[in-house]
Amino acid sequence: MRAATRSGTNISFNAAYSKPTCGDSQVLLKIKSAAINPIDYKARWPLVGTVVGIDVAGIIEEVGSKVDTFKVGDEVYGAAGKGGSLAEYTATDPNGLALKPSSLTFTEAAALPVTYMTTFQGLKNYGKLLEGDRVLIIGASGGTGTAGLQLSKVFGAKEIVGVCSERNVELVKSLGATEVIDYTKSTLLEALKVDDAVPEDKKFDVIYDCATNSGAGEDYYTVSKGLLKSTAERHGQYVAINGSPGFWLRAMTGIGCRPNEHLFFMKPSTKEFTDLAAIMDGEGGKEPLKPIIQDELPFNETSLKEGFDKLKSRRAVGKIVFNMDM
């Protein structure tokens, strides 16, 4: 089968990689679409497997003898685990999958797992976002940032401030931002200050940082701490998807980590992927959501390089997805 494989820092296209077999506690998934994320080129074996990729959507072709949660023919999406997703097939733990949102194509569903589930868990489980909150999304035009805008609105945020460059202002507004800060024209403090101080009503209940340590020297951690609301009833929460080595150490060990500062890895969960699917389908009378797709590419050697080059350039708006049937 076709697969994208890693060797050290290199990612290469393999036209004759061995098709995986299905274990007793696994499902064999015929992959229809797979998306890519920075972790796919940053992470190394043995943290990740030989086949590249996490985001996946496809059709279950075989079910292990100990699996009773899915059946052959189910259309699913989720996290492929160490089996990888940039391939024609993957054998994976069913606990990282859920039935695909019925309103989305396989390409759209494949754009969800890492960015939308990271955001879902970040805003809900760590940020404790409540209806009426004021939220800041830093890096609002990227894959995780666009998810942050959409899900903040679903979760009831009253004010959503997005940080992006001028060329993405209209997109960010269209996804739910009530205010946009163009980081090429002003710093966060310059945009929010009144008479040399940031008033309490300009501070935030939740700051979702999708930009710090993303590859170009960005660091919003220090300034963000001064932009969090602090009252007797509740303290604002800073939630980041990346950070300094010191922040990662504190987050992983729990030593010296402040209770309102969060840095975490997304944890795949069938229940939460099911909840996310319901949100995307607009259950409960809410507006259905669609992820922002930068590019839908065929799965071949040329497109593989093109996709990762664009991802590494940090110019992608939304997700890059490979369609196995193109």
Side-chain angles (χ1 to χ4, degrees), residues 51-212:
V51 176
V52 179
I54 300 171
D55 289 342
V56 70
I59 301 172
I60 292 181
E61 189 167 279
E62 186 179 343
V63 176
S65 60
K66 296 181 180 179
V67 176
D68 59 6
T69 49
F70 295 103
K71 65 182 184 301
V72 172
D74 280 345
E75 297 183 351
V76 298
Y77 83 115
K82 285 194 174 182
S85 64
L86 283 176
E88 293 182 79
Y89 292 88
T90 189
T92 191
D93 182 347
N95 294 318
L97 302 175
L99 294 177
K100 178 179 75 66
S102 59
S103 62
L104 301 186
T105 66
F106 283 108
T107 292
E108 291 166 338
L112 301 178
V114 169
T115 53
Y116 278 76
M117 186 49 64
T118 296
T119 301
F120 180 97
Q121 293 175 351
L123 295 178
K124 189 173 183 181
N125 302 347
Y126 294 94
K128 308 296 184 185
L129 196 159
L130 300 176
E131 189 168 349
D133 275 356
R134 177 170 163 86
V135 179
L136 176 66
I137 311 290
I138 305 172
S141 61
T144 314
T146 55
L149 294 166
Q150 291 175 308
L151 293 183
S152 291
K153 187 175 180 180
V154 168
F155 293 154
K158 182 179 180 181
E159 298 177 49
I160 305 170
V161 180
V163 180
C164 65
S165 63
E166 184 177 17
R167 67 192 180 96
N168 294 318
V169 167
E170 292 308 314
L171 169 68
V172 168
K173 286 182 177 178
S174 74
L175 294 175
T178 54
E179 181 183 344
V180 179
I181 296 173
D182 178 358
Y183 68 81
T184 68
K185 294 182 178 179
S186 66
T187 67
L188 288 181
L189 287 179
E190 288 169 345
L192 296 168
K193 274 184 178 180
V194 177
D195 296 329
D196 295 323
V198 179
E200 196 66 21
D201 64 353
K202 287 283 188 177
K203 293 184 178 181
F204 299 92
D205 299 288
V206 181
I207 295 178
Y208 186 44
D209 184 355
C210 308
T212 292

Side-chain angles (χ1 to χ4, degrees), residues 190-239:
E190 288 169 345
L192 296 168
K193 274 184 178 180
V194 177
D195 296 329
D196 295 323
V198 179
E200 196 66 21
D201 64 353
K202 287 283 188 177
K203 293 184 178 181
F204 299 92
D205 299 288
V206 181
I207 295 178
Y208 186 44
D209 184 355
C210 308
T212 292
N213 277 66
S214 61
E218 305 91 338
D219 185 359
Y220 289 93
Y221 170 72
T222 301
V223 68
S224 292
K225 291 191 293 183
L227 296 176
L228 292 169
K229 289 183 179 180
S230 180
T231 66
E233 295 79 23
R234 185 183 177 207
H235 200 296
Q237 302 294 308
Y238 172 77
V239 182

Side-chain angles (χ1 to χ4, degrees), residues 126-127 221-226 228 235-240 244 246-264:
Y126 294 94
Y221 170 72
T222 301
V223 68
S224 292
K225 291 191 293 183
L228 292 169
H235 200 296
Q237 302 294 308
Y238 172 77
V239 182
S244 68
F247 195 1
W248 275 116
L249 182 62
R250 295 195 301 274
M252 294 299 101
T253 63
I255 299 172
C257 201
R258 297 177 179 86
N260 70 319
E261 296 177 10
H262 312 279
L263 179 62
F264 69 103

